[in-house]
Amino acid sequence: MNECIYERNRLPPRAFFLPPHTVSLSGRWKFHFAASPLESEPSSDDAYGWYLIDVPGHWQLQGWGHPHYTNFNFPFPCSPPFVPSENPTGIYETTFAVPCEWEAVDGGLDYRLRFEGVDSAFHFLVNGVEIGYSQGSRNAAEFDISHVLKSGEGNTNTLRVKVYQWSDGTYIEDQDMWFLSGIFRDVYLLAFPKKGRIEDFFIRTTLDECSENAVLEIDLSYFVQSISSATFRLVDTHGRTATSKRTCELGSSSHDCHFEMKVMNPLKWSAEHPHLYYLYIALSSEGRVLQEIVQQVGFRSVYLKQGLLHVNGMPISIRGVNRHDNHPRFGRAVPLEFIKRDLVLMKQHNINALRTSHYPNDPRLVHLANELGLYVLDEADLECHGTGIDSGSIPSDKPSWKEAYLARMQQLVHRDKNNPCVIMWSLGNESFYGQNHQAMYEWSKRFDKTRPVHYEGDTRFFASDVCSYMYKNVSDLAKLATEDGDEYKKPIILQEYAHAMGNGPGGLKEYMETFREYRRLQGGFVWEWANHGLLKKLNDGSGRLFYAYGGDFGDEPNDGDFVMDGLCDSEHNPGPGLIELKAAYAPLSISMRGNNIHVRNLYGFENILDLECAWSVVHFLPDGKILHLSSGRCDIDPALGERPGKEVVIRPFHDKTLPFDPTQPEIWLKVSLRRSGPCAWAEAGHEVARADFRMGVSSTSIQLPLVGSLQSPRVQAEGRILRVLTPTCTLTFDKIKGEIVGWSHKGFAIIQSNGPQLTFWRAPTDNDKGGQASDWLGHGLNAMTQSVRSVLHRISDLGALEIKVESYIAPPIFAWGFSTSTTYTLHSNGKLLIKVNIIPKGPAPGTLPRVGLEMTLPKNQRYAEWFGLGPGQTYRDMKQAGQIGVWTKAVDDMMHMYDMPQENGNRTETRWVKVIDERGIGLRAVLKRNDTTDSRPSTSGVATEESISPLDKWSFVNQAVGEKQSHTGFDFALSRYTAADLDQAQHPHQLKGTEGIVFRIDDDHHGLGSASCGPDVLDQHQLKTKEFHFTVSLEPTGI
């Protein structure tokens, strides 16, 4: 192992383009697997030494070895540059022929092989002759093979590639992802005319001070045998000439030339307006075109001004995500359509930027980002996090590693330098800081003066043009944003935040509020786009598949499910986190004043005249019926301002005469801003932003059903059992357990076994495990027991049966718990009220997972209908995407099954909920708080401006910022699994489930946060331990 040797005979890096004479060698290759590179290799004609393998692909996903996941620890002793002598090695072999039509090229061709990605290092031979060596897994390697290639009819060539799982390069490729080996990107045979070729080119666009007119600069590297010419032709997307064609005379031999073209007022490229042009570069000699290249061109400028990152003269806001190349079946051998689907989904969810964490992604990604409009923070293939186990092992400050570091930066910059989407280069990730980073930075700034450079690992930002941080909480961000006053030189951009592992992330709303409050904060990149689960067959012979994470392949050591930390699942389908992010990232802020909807434009360049506003007024009646009172569509009035940063006013009501009574409860105005026409990533009607406004001056309160008894219930006492009979129902109560064990109404079972129990536990989320879960477990909250102190029953003055239970709920061992009083009131008409008072005693934990009643309902009650936020799951710090409405879902659709089972499926701000069977028979539940204090804010708020019309005071969901807030509604969840079921399983297929439906109705619920690798739940979203007083109404419905 020698860190100074990272290539042999590899050609210099260049911009990515494929010449007209290109053949893909991807497909089915012969393959031989060896435990060590020292083992003998099979001959080409060995009938038994070879198997078949797909290229591109990883051998671990095709039957050899196994995937291995660690976050940053090496799976072998950390002793750079040395790697294990048992170094798994894959021998690949294929044959190919030069296409016959290539033989007709005047003057002949020179031939090259190009490998887009091989992990981690390789030697290769052509026709038995060793050609070269390369490492740098996510960087291209190109070699000249002209001297050994056989051409002509009937001639075939043999290509053998020897790939090593480990190399000294592994020490600086320690990214948080699976260790997977092999030829995982395409392999090409390239041919260039011997008479002349374009070796490389570098396109830069410069805008004038007004960001209006432009200069297109072109640096061309070429080789020609005789005097030749280069012609440059720029056209727009419709093929129309954008400026006159230019020709440059070229001298013979190898040279570089510089050329400029003035372009008057071209359409500018940005993430919002990805206007592209196409530059045709033709190399000609003796009247014949030798080579032509077509390159996307976007006219845009990127620079720092007044301490902020500007694009085209405007400071921008980064609404970004981190993205790995990963596929659940193919690993990092990601198909093009899968990549495109990722980027389209990003655009549809209001994401405007991505970071190629932590290496150059597939080279086709940046071309798609050019077309669709995404800013790219392009990152070098560099991370040595695991070497931090010993400071003496860190290579970043060692001169012997300098050239290897530089080479990785040069590979990145040269490959992607011509893409307008790339607005910043990144030196890599989590590699500490040393002289080698400084060398990378200085080279980048010399070579490319048009882009800033980013690196978070340099805490003093000598090697970074922006101040980059990871997982800062909002209070720390506010301090950082103001500590230098107005004299700061560099903006703050978070390279990672809001860790999206499991159920979460919570607190996105507060991040966005903080970004928008402080000028210096220009946004950041959420970690991360998608889970990295790999499909694996169960060992039970069923053929079923599951998404595996660290340890599931016998890989030791491992970091478990830390690789499952995405907004999307492993198939890259949107999860609740991405749905929430779309709402938080909405580039439009919607508010209500008087009769008018006010929309603030938060885009950087986009006016909003291409959007339409659809609105409706809906009255939600107590019985669940919905009255649609009014609706319409409004055009945006351009006279009121539509530019970025400005507000437009939309008038759904043109006078003060309203077609409804706004003083009635639960009348809502629902507003949706949608694209009026199609674009490259969305159909017409695609919703960009939305908001719900409750009309009226007072908040909606939860009203319990009116109850009364026509006939007193009969009570039968049979030992520990109380049996209560009314004309319509039977209720069975266990005095020792202090709970209902059976309840039927008119012959239909409402509760069959486990009746309402006071519970506090939830299956810890991944974010809980990094936050409060250790304290909860340390206090025994997962093992609470109930000691019934007394059970009294009587017939009340109203003729209802009251059962009052005094209990002490506490964990074993500890000297703390809850003193509880629970009063069950059953009326003869079948309605049941459960009044709960909870008083903490002793050294209780500071926070609780949740507090509420939990019960098991019959399994046929598998549908939910509720009035509150929906349709997806919501939590107190993750409900920006929630919409007010009456929703209906099957119980199975109420759950969101994470790859590591955990708390899921909660709905918040609920007014009422029904759990019913196919006939509509079941249970209706409502919760009302009995106290007037509340520690928890909601998204509801009331406008404070002076009223000038009946609609001037509004309370609304999703958009309240800095206004007086109150707790509205309750939480509930339905599942086939108990918290213990979820807590004990490591994968969904291990869940056994219950015989019935687990129904949870909660007074309050702890937030989610992002403490799996970031800040804990914000204080205002924590469920503090305190006294709780609430009443739950349960009544049969549909019978």
Side-chain angles (χ1 to χ4, degrees):
M1 297 293 104
N2 185 343
E3 67 269 28
C4 297
I5 299 175
Y6 49 86
E7 60 89 5
R8 284 200 177 109
N9 298 326
R10 193 172 69 195
L11 294 173
R14 63 170 177 84
F16 176 80
F17 66 88
L18 299 177
H21 298 96
T22 296
V23 170
S24 172
L25 300 185
S26 299
R28 298 279 275 176
W29 291 32
K30 293 193 297 183
F31 182 75
H32 174 80
F33 183 72
S36 165
L38 300 180
E39 290 188 8
S40 60
E41 301 177 25
S43 63
S44 296
D45 57 359
D46 185 337
Y48 301 101
W50 297 100
Y51 295 88
L52 293 178
I53 196 169
D54 289 327
V55 173
H58 299 282
W59 68 59
Q60 290 92 342
L61 301 181
Q62 300 185 65
W64 293 274
H66 60 75
H68 197 134
Y69 169 66
T70 65
N71 175 11
F72 57 82
N73 293 315
F74 293 105
F76 50 77
C78 179
S79 181
F82 301 102
V83 297
S85 55
E86 293 187 15
N87 187 358
T89 302
I91 314 297
Y92 293 77
E93 189 170 284
T94 191
T95 59
F96 64 91
V98 176
C100 295
E101 59 269 25
W102 291 10
E103 299 297 314
V105 174
D106 183 33
L109 297 167
D110 288 326
Y111 297 94
R112 299 180 183 180
L113 280 176
R114 182 176 176 90
F115 300 84
E116 294 296 346
V118 182
D119 195 323
S120 74
F122 68 99
H123 286 91
F124 80 102
L125 301 87
V126 175
N127 297 328
V129 179
E130 184 171 324
I131 302 299
Y133 170 80
S134 182
Q135 61 189 53
S137 299
R138 269 69 65 179
N139 292 316
E142 193 165 302
F143 299 86
D144 189 338
I145 60 169
S146 303
H147 59 294
V148 298
L149 198 74
K150 301 174 184 177
S151 59
E153 187 173 352
N155 284 318
T156 60
N157 298 273
T158 300
L159 169 61
R160 178 174 289 204
V161 186
K162 190 172 185 179
V163 181
Y164 315 106
Q165 181 162 340
W166 313 121
S167 69
D168 55 75
T170 303
Y171 284 104
I172 54 175
E173 292 180 356
D174 187 29
Q175 293 93 341
D176 176 10
M177 60 186 186
W178 294 98
F179 284 106
L180 295 169
S181 313
I183 305 173
F184 68 93
R185 288 183 184 161
D186 287 311
V187 182
Y188 297 105
L189 173 66
L190 313 178
F192 297 87
K194 287 181 176 292
K195 286 189 172 184
R197 60 181 173 268
I198 298 170
E199 293 284 7
D200 196 9
F201 61 99
F202 186 12
I203 295 172
R204 298 178 300 283
T205 60
T206 304
L207 303 183
D208 61 21
E209 291 184 359
C210 299
S211 296
E212 183 176 347
N213 300 319
V215 174
L216 177 64
E217 298 183 67
I218 307 160
D219 288 332
L220 191 69
S221 298
Y222 64 92
F223 167 79
V224 290
Q225 291 182 341
S226 59
I227 294 175
S228 305
S229 64
T231 302
F232 305 93
R233 184 167 58 94
L234 187 70
V235 302
D236 64 17
T237 53
H238 302 289
R240 297 174 300 208
T241 299
T243 188
S244 57
K245 182 170 67 173
R246 307 294 177 85
T247 300
C248 179
E249 296 300 322
L250 306 177
S252 60
S253 191
S254 296
H255 288 286
D256 297 328
C257 73
H258 178 81
F259 194 77
E260 296 185 1
M261 302 170 70
K262 292 183 179 180
V263 184
M264 303 304 294
N265 197 21
L267 295 172
K268 312 305 185 295
W269 188 97
S270 69
E272 295 158 26
H273 296 292
H275 296 300
L276 287 176
Y277 292 80
Y278 295 88
L279 180 66
Y280 288 77
I281 307 174
L283 179 66
S284 301
S285 180
E286 300 174 356
R288 293 186 178 181
V289 175
L290 301 177
Q291 183 182 355
E292 185 174 62
I293 296 171
V294 182
Q295 174 63 41
Q296 296 169 326
V297 174
F299 286 93
R300 64 103 184 93
S301 61
V302 183
Y303 53 84
L304 294 180
K305 180 181 178 182
Q306 296 178 335
L308 295 178
L309 179 67
H310 285 65
V311 171
N312 300 341
M314 296 290 293
I316 62 170
S317 176
I318 299 292
R319 303 189 302 274
V321 293
N322 284 271
R323 182 193 178 274
H324 273 277
D325 271 339
N326 195 76
H327 188 281
R329 296 165 186 81
F330 311 130
R332 286 186 287 280
V334 185
L336 177 61
E337 285 306 309
F338 202 74
I339 298 171
K340 184 174 183 179
R341 179 171 171 265
D342 272 357
L343 270 58
V344 167
L345 278 173
M346 289 178 190
K347 292 290 291 187
Q348 290 175 346
H349 288 82
N350 292 327
I351 293 164
N352 72 352
L354 68 92
R355 174 181 174 224
T356 65
S357 50
H358 302 292
Y359 45 82
N361 285 189
D362 186 294
R364 299 168 294 184
L365 178 140
V366 289
H367 300 156
L368 291 169
N370 292 339
E371 295 171 0
L372 295 171
L374 285 158
Y375 299 123
V376 174
L377 173 57
D378 213 358
E379 191 149 276
D381 189 7
L382 180 67
E383 179 171 338
C384 63
H385 196 169
T387 62
I389 196 75
D390 171 25
S391 60
S393 298
I394 298 172
S396 296
D397 203 39
K398 295 186 175 183
S400 61
W401 288 83
K402 175 182 175 181
E403 294 304 317
Y405 273 57
L406 269 175
R408 288 168 183 262
M409 193 66 195
Q410 291 164 351
Q411 291 270 54
L412 164 74
V413 172
H414 279 294
R415 193 195 76 169
D416 291 346
K417 61 196 172 191
N418 294 321
N419 293 280
C421 67
V422 178
I423 62 168
M424 274 196 292
W425 304 116
S426 177
L427 304 183
N429 184 65
E430 294 181 321
S431 298
F432 312 97
Y433 172 70
Q435 59 182 297
N436 299 335
H437 288 113
Q438 199 63 38
M440 296 168 73
Y441 174 81
E442 291 171 1
W443 177 87
S444 300
K445 298 300 286 186
R446 285 194 306 271
F447 179 79
D448 182 9
K449 297 178 175 60
T450 68
R451 293 179 176 96
V453 175
H454 159 277
Y455 182 57
E456 180 270 341
D458 174 12
T459 57
R460 293 185 291 176
F461 307 112
F462 294 135
S464 181
D465 296 318
V466 300
C467 300
S468 178
Y469 299 96
M470 298 170 64
Y471 304 112
K472 293 290 185 183
N473 62 41
V474 291
S475 59
D476 287 342
L477 279 177
K479 292 176 184 176
L480 288 168
T482 55
E483 64 183 3
D484 296 324
D486 293 328
E487 302 302 317
Y488 58 86
K489 303 297 183 184
K490 298 177 180 181
I492 294 172
I493 294 174
L494 300 183
Q495 76 165 21
E496 296 174 23
Y497 78 104
H499 198 258
M501 185 177 179
N503 194 349
L508 289 173
K509 172 178 177 284
E510 286 77 12
Y511 269 115
M512 295 309 297
E513 289 172 355
T514 306
F515 291 158
R516 289 164 183 166
E517 182 176 356
Y518 297 98
R519 178 177 176 270
R520 191 178 184 184
L521 302 180
Q522 289 195 263
F525 301 84
V526 168
W527 186 269
E528 69 171 307
W529 174 244
N531 291 352
H532 294 224
L534 295 174
L535 279 170
K536 184 178 186 291
K537 278 188 179 181
L538 292 175
N539 295 323
D540 60 2
S542 66
R544 291 183 299 159
L545 300 170
F546 73 102
Y547 295 102
Y549 49 72
D552 287 329
F553 294 96
D555 45 318
E556 294 292 341
N558 67 78
D559 285 303
D561 69 325
F562 201 66
V563 75
M564 305 297 227
D565 52 3
L567 297 161
C568 298
D569 64 20
S570 296
E571 295 285 351
H572 293 213
N573 298 311
L578 183 58
I579 304 302
E580 179 75 0
L581 187 69
K582 177 183 178 180
Y585 271 5
L588 304 164
S589 175
I590 309 172
S591 59
M592 198 77 197
R593 297 176 212 157
N595 295 1
N596 301 326
I597 301 166
H598 287 242
V599 180
R600 179 170 293 277
N601 184 352
L602 301 176
Y603 283 110
F605 303 94
E606 178 82 86
N607 68 48
I608 57 176
L609 296 181
D610 291 334
L611 301 178
E612 65 177 13
C613 175
W615 60 271
S616 62
V617 178
V618 181
H619 190 185
F620 298 102
L621 300 178
D623 61 1
K625 293 180 181 178
I626 304 172
L627 298 181
H628 296 274
L629 303 179
S630 186
S631 64
R633 295 177 184 271
C634 297
D635 294 326
I636 295 172
D637 185 351
L640 297 173
E642 78 287 350
R643 301 300 299 168
K646 303 295 184 181
E647 274 192 358
V648 298
V649 179
I650 301 170
R651 296 179 172 85
F653 312 107
H654 295 285
D655 55 49
K656 296 181 181 180
T657 302
L658 305 176
F660 46 84
D661 180 1
T663 64
Q664 290 294 311
E666 301 296 4
I667 295 179
W668 290 78
L669 174 67
K670 302 176 76 66
V671 180
S672 174
L673 292 171
R674 307 168 182 172
R675 295 192 64 87
S676 57
C679 63
W681 47 268
E683 300 292 334
H686 170 78
E687 185 175 80
V688 177
R690 54 157 302 279
D692 296 335
F693 300 87
R694 184 173 51 239
M695 307 173 71
V697 298
S698 61
S699 299
T700 299
S701 60
I702 303 299
Q703 298 295 330
L704 296 179
L706 296 176
V707 294
S709 291
L710 302 176
Q711 179 179 338
S712 298
R714 291 185 295 117
V715 181
Q716 299 174 350
E718 302 172 4
R720 64 189 288 177
I721 299 298
L722 287 178
R723 183 162 285 105
V724 184
L725 305 173
T726 78
T728 58
C729 75
T730 300
L731 183 144
T732 306
F733 193 90
D734 188 317
K735 292 187 290 183
I736 294 179
K737 289 183 176 181
E739 67 180 59
I740 296 169
V741 293
W743 182 23
S744 63
H745 185 80
K746 295 183 179 179
F748 292 93
I750 305 299
I751 292 174
Q752 290 180 316
S753 56
N754 299 322
Q757 302 173 16
L758 186 59
T759 57
F760 303 88
W761 187 243
R762 72 183 187 193
T765 67
D766 289 310
N767 289 310
D768 288 339
K769 294 170 186 176
Q772 301 288 313
S774 59
D775 187 52
W776 296 341
L777 290 165
H779 280 84
L781 271 165
N782 62 320
M784 301 293 276
T785 62
Q786 176 175 266
S787 175
V788 177
R789 301 291 170 85
S790 68
V791 178
L792 301 173
H793 69 275
R794 72 183 185 96
I795 302 298
S796 72
D797 294 340
L798 295 175
L801 173 73
E802 290 183 356
I803 304 174
K804 186 174 183 179
V805 181
E806 301 286 344
S807 296
Y808 187 67
I809 299 176
I813 304 173
F814 298 99
W816 77 273
F818 295 104
S819 177
T820 69
S821 173
T822 306
T823 302
Y824 300 84
T825 303
L826 179 68
H827 295 261
S828 61
N829 60 5
K831 295 176 182 177
L832 176 67
L833 298 182
I834 306 174
K835 184 177 180 180
V836 179
N837 296 294
I838 304 169
I839 301 174
K841 301 289 185 179
T847 64
L848 301 172
R850 43 169 290 275
V851 57
L853 297 178
E854 186 174 331
M855 64 202 82
T856 302
L857 305 180
K859 62 183 179 180
N860 65 328
Q861 293 180 15
R862 57 181 185 270
Y863 297 96
E865 182 181 339
W866 76 99
F867 175 35
L869 292 186
Q873 66 180 36
T874 51
Y875 290 80
R876 62 192 294 173
D877 62 349
M878 186 182 167
K879 56 185 176 182
Q880 290 295 95
Q883 304 176 44
I884 195 71
V886 174
W887 309 99
T888 302
K889 276 183 177 288
V891 168
D892 289 339
D893 295 330
M894 295 291 288
M895 302 179 289
H896 183 85
M897 193 51 61
Y898 293 94
D899 293 308
M900 169 66 80
Q902 57 195 273
E903 159 66 30
N904 70 88
N906 189 72
R907 267 69 175 178
T908 193
E909 297 198 16
T910 310
R911 278 66 165 170
W912 54 259
V913 58
K914 294 179 183 178
V915 189
I916 53 179
D917 64 15
E918 292 177 341
R919 299 163 295 178
I921 296 173
L923 186 69
R924 185 182 192 271
V926 175
L927 182 148
K928 182 181 184 299
R929 287 172 192 83
N930 300 336
D931 59 352
T932 58
T933 61
D934 182 35
S935 63
R936 151 183 169 172
S938 79
T939 47
S940 299
V942 179
T944 58
E945 298 181 11
E946 183 179 354
S947 179
I948 57 173
S949 87
L951 297 184
D952 215 31
K953 288 189 176 180
W954 304 77
S955 50
F956 52 94
V957 174
N958 299 331
Q959 301 298 328
V961 178
E963 298 174 349
K964 183 179 178 181
Q965 301 190 353
S966 62
H967 187 159
T968 301
F970 58 87
D971 292 65
F972 82 95
L974 288 159
S975 179
R976 296 192 181 276
Y977 309 104
T978 65
D981 293 333
L982 294 168
D983 204 5
Q984 293 166 10
Q986 299 297 299
H987 292 282
H989 66 265
Q990 297 170 343
L991 289 165
K992 304 302 182 184
T994 63
E995 288 299 316
I997 304 298
V998 179
F999 175 43
R1000 204 176 65 197
I1001 180 167
D1002 288 345
D1003 174 62
D1004 214 340
H1005 208 106
H1006 193 71
L1008 297 173
S1010 58
S1012 52
C1013 187
D1016 201 356
V1017 176
L1018 292 171
D1019 187 73
Q1020 65 266 34
H1021 295 307
Q1022 295 183 10
L1023 175 52
K1024 305 291 187 180
T1025 302
K1026 61 181 181 67
E1027 292 187 15
F1028 299 94
H1029 308 277
F1030 59 89
T1031 299
V1032 172
S1033 165
L1034 303 177
E1035 60 176 316
T1037 186
I1039 304 175

